[in-house]
Amino acid sequence: IIEKLQDIITALEERLKPLVQAELSVLVDVLHWPELLFLEGSEAYQRCESGGFLSKLIQRAKALMESEEKL
């Protein structure tokens, strides 16, 4: 039974690895260019382009670190 479970885990890791890599790639792209999530010229686009997105992200991370929640 243990050998079969190990085979299943190995197979799942092989199948899920490309999905995890794709997800990480998308996250990196969003952090680098968050304005591309919105229509060019929109208010949200302009806020993100001027650093508003990263500023809010940093503020939220700091708030989570100071709270009892685990970050």
Side-chain angles (χ1 to χ4, degrees):
I1 293 175
I2 293 174
E3 187 176 313
K4 289 295 181 185
L5 285 174
Q6 289 174 337
D7 290 343
I8 291 171
I9 290 171
T10 301
L12 284 173
E13 286 176 341
E14 289 174 7
R15 289 186 183 197
L16 295 177
K17 188 174 183 177
L19 297 174
V20 170
Q21 289 174 337
E23 184 177 278
L24 289 174
S25 175
V26 169
L27 289 174
V28 169
D29 288 347
V30 167
L31 289 174
H32 279 280
W33 304 285
E35 67 272 8
L36 296 180
L37 294 171
F38 305 101
L39 292 174
E40 190 172 347
S42 69
E43 182 182 339
Y45 181 93
Q46 292 170 354
R47 283 192 312 211
C48 286
E49 192 175 41
S50 67
F53 176 79
L54 289 179
S55 175
K56 292 282 186 183
L57 184 63
I58 291 167
Q59 289 173 5
R60 180 67 179 142
K62 284 181 180 179
L64 286 173
M65 286 180 3
E66 292 171 359
S67 72
E68 292 183 16
E69 295 181 47
K70 299 291 182 194
L71 180 63

